[in-house]
Amino acid sequence: MAIQGSRAEDSAGYTFDDLAVVMGTYNEEEAIGTVLDDIATVTDGRAEVVCVDGSSDRTPEIAREHGATVIEQEPQGYGVAVREAVLTPDRPVVVTTDCDDTYPMERLPDFLAEINDGADVVSGDRLYYGAEQMPAMNKLGNELFALLASVLMGKRVHDTTTGMRAYRREVLQKVVWTENTGLSAELLMRPLMRGYDVRERPIEYDERKGETKLDPFSGGAAIAKSIVRVALEERFR
């Protein structure tokens, strides 16, 4: 489902040479090599890859072996790592993803095509196909986050906390971010409420490799609080 903003953009004709794929990594040695191999295969090795890493295992070593730029950072939460990751590359299109092999890197060409079609943000909707590999509690929480955000914004969204999104870099530079655990929701809501062309597209979601790092209760509460705060800030901006 497309969520259309008021601002139209001309097609920029971006290619994989204009694309950066970025992620925060934390003890993902089991999956990181597969994810980076998939990115290289899909983009013919032309996309820049940036990992902001706070691991104590071999994740950064494996990432460097696969040609990624690794920025080492003390663990400070999801948003801090992703903020550093998206601001590091200077390519005009930035795709965020997770490093646990849950997201379909084969969809990178589709996301890039949407940007070339005029989208400012393209957000992967994990729940569209049912997200059967997602733990039931996580799935329910994600559905409730989307419902909460939709009510507060007055615009329907379906997956506020997905880790796979494509952005025009200029949008990321213009939007001021404040959240940490709730950054994923914030980076969907602020552009949408400011009239950018934001589109949700269904993606498959696979079973993660390795252990989840987010506590479902404290993390869920932090995300819900972020959604409320961002929506109110944008309404009264």
Side-chain angles (χ1 to χ4, degrees), residues 111-199:
F111 277 40
L112 187 60
E114 292 277 359
I115 295 293
N116 281 327
D117 185 54
D120 294 303
V121 180
V122 185
S123 187
D125 177 3
R126 302 165 296 173
L127 305 179
Y128 183 90
Y129 294 121
E132 294 180 359
Q133 301 293 344
M134 186 180 295
M137 183 177 295
N138 292 16
K139 182 178 177 182
L140 175 61
N142 287 323
E143 291 171 343
L144 292 175
F145 296 147
L147 179 60
L148 175 63
S150 297
V151 170
L152 292 174
M153 293 190 298
K155 301 175 185 287
R156 185 70 172 102
V157 291
H158 300 87
D159 189 358
T160 57
T161 52
T162 179
M164 186 174 182
R165 286 207 192 103
Y167 303 87
R168 291 181 185 265
R169 186 169 182 265
E170 64 195 61
V171 175
L172 292 170
Q173 292 173 324
K174 291 177 181 178
V175 174
V176 177
W177 331 324
T178 60
E179 300 304 305
N180 192 351
T181 304
L183 181 66
S184 183
E186 180 178 23
L187 288 182
L188 178 71
M189 294 172 66
R190 290 198 193 275
L192 179 56
M193 295 183 76
R194 296 185 189 191
Y196 286 97
D197 186 340
V198 178
R199 308 177 187 182

Side-chain angles (χ1 to χ4, degrees), residues 188-226:
L188 178 71
M189 294 172 66
R190 290 198 193 275
L192 179 56
M193 295 183 76
R194 296 185 189 191
Y196 286 97
D197 186 340
V198 178
R199 308 177 187 182
E200 286 191 296
R201 292 293 181 259
I203 59 171
E204 298 286 353
Y205 183 79
D206 206 352
E207 184 175 4
R208 69 167 286 126
K209 294 181 180 178
E211 298 181 0
T212 183
K213 313 300 189 303
L214 181 67
D215 180 88
F217 297 104
S218 61
I223 292 169
K225 182 178 179 180
S226 294

Side-chain angles (χ1 to χ4, degrees), residues 28-48:
E28 298 287 358
E29 64 180 8
E30 185 176 348
I32 188 67
T34 300
V35 174
L36 296 179
D37 282 341
D38 289 345
I39 295 170
T41 297
V42 170
T43 68
D44 297 323
R46 293 157 58 192
E48 179 181 4

Side-chain angles (χ1 to χ4, degrees), residues 16 21 23 31-47 49 66 97-109 206 209:
F16 291 136
V21 182
M23 64 195 83
I32 188 67
T34 300
V35 174
L36 296 179
D37 282 341
D38 289 345
I39 295 170
T41 297
V42 170
T43 68
D44 297 323
R46 293 157 58 192
V49 180
H66 285 74
T97 190
D98 289 349
C99 51
D100 55 11
D101 200 26
T102 55
Y103 290 99
M105 294 300 97
E106 64 270 18
R107 295 297 304 278
L108 288 173
D206 206 352
K209 294 181 180 178

Side-chain angles (χ1 to χ4, degrees), residues 77-97:
Y78 174 82
V80 175
V82 172
R83 176 191 299 270
E84 182 71 22
V86 300
L87 293 179
T88 296
D90 60 5
R91 298 196 182 191
V93 181
V94 177
V95 172
T96 59
T97 190

